[in-house]
Amino acid sequence: QSVLTQPPSVSAAPGQKVTISCSGSSSNIGSNYVSWYQQLPGTAPKLLIYDNNKRPSGIPDRFSGSKSGTSATLGITGLQTGDEADYYCGTWDISLSAVVFGGGTKLTVL
Amino acid sequence: EVQLVESGGGLVQPGRSLRLSCTASRFTFGDYAMSWVRQAPGKGLEWVGLIRSKTYGGTTEYAASVIGRFNISRDDSKSIAYLQMNSLKTEDTAVYYCTKGGLPIDYWGQGTLVTVSS
């Protein structure tokens, strides 16, 4: 059971928009920055969003992040088949003194 | 581009030990925390632990599941981070990723598979 809660799967058609939620508590999301990671099949994860809503160099602006209270959301617009991947949220938990991840969300682009 | 190369994975019996190494390049290794994250087959990401830079005391933090069994260290002169794993259990079977940074984790290695089985 992950400390952060994500939906197991989401799906949408090419060109559409999808959002992935990440729910936590006051000891993690509520008091720390959230980052998001994309893991394409068979590859290592890659940083997608950091500090709630910032994109590293090279990440297209189709990817966005937001945070409100104890929840965070990843948004992806203009979906492409190449976006099919597992997506994870992560943050620091001050009660556990540990990095915590969500269970991951599998995105299917129909 | 930052490079992180893990080594030392393999098949090990329950109760035995294994040490993973992470050789880093193309960034000033000593300025950054280094973390280890693992992923069991078909499962999600699980943070293992981190070691801070010497500037922040070089201290370590660990996941509850590995406290007392795993130890992270670093050799800044060689740009290498280590994960010493003792008293291994079958549930420690996973791909182990070496990563740069505490949070956010901005670079990941390709991972090394550790299989704990008799």
Side-chain angles (χ1 to χ4, degrees):
Chain A
Q1 202 78 337
S2 301
V3 173
L4 305 180
T5 301
Q6 297 180 234
S9 63
V10 296
S11 63
Q16 296 300 302
K17 173 183 177 179
V18 71
T19 59
I20 297 173
S21 61
C22 176
S23 179
S25 68
S26 58
S27 67
N28 42 67
I29 292 178
S31 51
N32 289 285
Y33 288 120
V34 176
S35 48
W36 289 89
Y37 304 88
Q38 177 194 59
Q39 186 175 32
L40 296 169
T43 70
K46 179 177 78 172
L47 178 64
L48 210 55
I49 297 288
Y50 69 98
D51 290 359
N52 303 332
N53 55 18
K54 297 181 174 62
R55 283 175 288 105
S57 173
I59 301 300
D61 59 7
R62 300 188 298 107
F63 296 90
S64 64
S66 64
K67 187 184 104 168
S68 178
T70 59
S71 293
T73 302
L74 173 69
I76 311 173
T77 59
L79 278 171
Q80 302 173 1
T81 55
D83 295 332
E84 287 201 333
D86 293 322
Y87 292 84
Y88 296 90
C89 56
T91 188
W92 181 260
D93 189 297
I94 58 177
S95 296
L96 299 174
S97 291
V99 173
V100 291
F101 290 106
T105 298
K106 183 176 182 62
L107 168 64
T108 300
V109 181
L110 302 167
Chain B
E1 176 86 350
V2 166
Q3 278 201 334
L4 301 169
V5 179
E6 302 94 338
S7 60
L11 175 63
V12 61
Q13 293 178 327
R16 303 298 292 264
S17 299
L18 200 64
R19 188 178 81 160
L20 306 183
S21 300
C22 170
T23 302
S25 59
R26 300 178 186 174
F27 68 100
T28 306
F29 182 79
D31 288 350
Y32 294 90
M34 297 295 293
S35 302
W36 289 89
V37 177
R38 68 185 181 182
Q39 186 170 36
K43 302 296 185 182
L45 303 176
E46 181 187 13
W47 179 77
V48 173
L50 64 80
I51 184 166
R52 297 181 177 87
S53 66
K54 293 290 195 294
T55 300
Y56 291 92
T59 53
T60 53
E61 305 282 356
Y62 298 97
S65 58
V66 306
I67 285 176
R69 299 189 302 123
F70 289 13
N71 182 67
I72 299 174
S73 60
R74 62 191 298 158
D75 185 335
D76 290 351
S77 68
K78 297 180 179 178
S79 296
I80 300 178
Y82 300 99
L83 176 62
Q84 177 68 42
M85 303 183 292
N86 301 322
S87 302
L88 282 161
K89 305 175 182 180
T90 55
E91 52 263 42
D92 294 319
T93 294
V95 172
Y96 285 73
Y97 294 103
C98 168
T99 70
K100 171 179 170 282
L103 268 182
I105 297 173
D106 53 2
Y107 288 95
W108 301 63
Q110 285 308 297
T112 186
L113 176 62
V114 172
T115 302
V116 184
S117 174
S118 54

